[in-house]
Amino acid sequence: MDLTLKVWRQKNAKEKGHFETYKVKGISPDSSFLEMLDILNEQLITEGMDPVAVEKGCKSSGPVSFDHDCREGICGACSLYINGRAHGPDDEVTTCQLHMRKFKDGDTITIEPWRSKGFPVIKDLVVDRQAFDKILQAGGYVSVRTGGVPDANAIPIKRENAEESMDGAACIGCGACVATCKNGSAMLFVAARVSSLALLPQGKVEAARRAKAMVAKMDELGFGSCTNTRACEMECPKHITVGHIARLNREYLSAKFKD
């Protein structure tokens, strides 16, 4: 496959970014999207070191910076906006799970970082996602003393509650919900984290404080409000539903009424 790539380049958070166009050739349809970017970077490094290529007018601005870690759809680091969709033109996958067979030979692919006030660009396609960590630190935990390791069946929990809690815990914090939402809202992420604890006995002790603290921190960090367009649900690689947002709203309002 021969492709044209329009890639967002930005030196740092303070400088203005711009798109640069690159050509890559001979890409295997079985390659992952990140492997294709690796090939592009090898090409850019070679052009920058090759005096003949420089004489022919090849302008290399250095390899493209992009985030990745596990490359198995687990860590959520591979946060790219591809052809107007978070994680690209496939459903329920992260960018590292996206394969080039989803594109056609000769395609032009536009690659951008997440666009959100809460996720400032660090360099090129890398954004600062520490905001999610700060939201979790505000209340996404339990502080009970467990002592020794208890038996798995020591605390009876309804099966439907356990399964729904695990659905919320499946969130990998990639930020696709924020990047997709027209308001840049982080409600689906916060709701998933609240649900994963609100449905379990261990999470009841701090339930009221948790909902208020996490929503307050989300607002403080510049994320927008939820207007129920459900775009976040459509692009979530783990298919976390907006039903969790309904639970977050109930938890939050309940806590406010108690105040």
Side-chain angles (χ1 to χ4, degrees):
M1 299 172 66
D2 296 345
L3 303 164
T4 300
L5 307 178
K6 293 180 66 177
V7 184
W8 184 260
R9 304 304 303 266
Q10 187 171 338
K11 287 186 178 180
N12 53 55
K14 295 181 179 179
E15 294 196 24
K16 291 183 67 175
H18 62 280
F19 282 104
E20 287 191 15
T21 303
Y22 305 103
K23 302 279 187 180
V24 288
K25 297 182 179 181
I27 301 298
S28 168
D30 295 324
S31 298
S32 73
F33 197 86
L34 296 189
E35 287 171 338
M36 182 275 294
L37 289 179
D38 288 336
I39 293 170
L40 168 64
N41 279 343
E42 288 177 6
Q43 176 182 307
L44 292 176
I45 292 169
T46 302
E47 288 176 357
M49 293 169 54
D50 185 359
V52 176
V54 173
E55 282 183 16
K56 290 182 178 179
C58 295
K59 295 181 180 180
S60 172
S61 53
V64 178
S65 296
F66 63 94
D67 242 337
H68 63 91
D69 191 3
C70 70
R71 299 203 178 200
E72 295 179 349
I74 298 171
C75 69
C78 53
S79 47
L80 296 181
Y81 211 66
I82 303 165
N83 284 352
R85 285 190 67 181
H87 295 305
D90 204 351
D91 298 323
E92 297 183 26
V93 298
T94 53
T95 303
C96 61
Q97 296 172 302
L98 176 67
H99 286 82
M100 298 311 296
R101 53 180 169 266
K102 286 291 179 179
F103 303 92
K104 296 178 182 178
D105 185 32
D107 273 359
T108 297
I109 305 174
T110 302
I111 310 169
E112 304 171 75
W114 285 164
R115 290 285 187 245
S116 168
K117 182 180 178 181
F119 296 147
V121 174
I122 297 174
K123 184 179 180 182
D124 294 340
L125 304 174
V126 181
V127 298
D128 185 350
R129 293 186 300 137
Q130 289 187 76
F132 274 6
D133 295 330
K134 292 175 182 177
I135 292 172
L136 288 178
Q137 289 168 3
Y141 57 86
V142 292
S143 58
V144 295
R145 294 185 179 182
T146 58
V149 179
D151 293 333
N153 60 351
I155 303 175
I157 300 171
K158 292 182 179 179
R159 178 180 176 180
E160 55 268 27
N161 287 358
E163 290 186 350
E164 199 167 352
S165 173
M166 290 303 295
D167 287 343
C171 171
I172 57 176
C174 66
C177 51
V178 175
T180 301
C181 178
K182 65 179 183 179
N183 304 321
S185 173
M187 279 289 280
L188 191 64
F189 166 77
V190 176
R193 296 306 189 188
V194 167
S195 274
S196 67
L197 297 172
L199 288 159
L200 302 177
Q202 296 91 332
K204 297 296 184 184
V205 178
E206 297 165 307
R209 178 193 173 279
R210 177 181 302 113
K212 292 185 294 183
M214 292 180 75
V215 170
K217 180 59 71 172
M218 175 184 68
D219 293 340
E220 176 192 323
L221 294 171
F223 292 102
S225 301
C226 175
T227 50
N228 294 313
T229 63
R230 300 184 69 180
C232 54
E233 179 183 87
M234 295 300 104
E235 295 294 1
C236 176
K238 299 303 178 182
H239 195 59
I240 293 170
T241 70
V242 294
H244 293 289
I245 295 179
R247 176 171 294 104
L248 170 61
N249 288 335
R250 290 195 297 271
E251 293 279 326
Y252 183 80
L253 290 174
S254 176
K256 285 294 187 180
F257 279 130
K258 286 179 182 177
D259 288 347

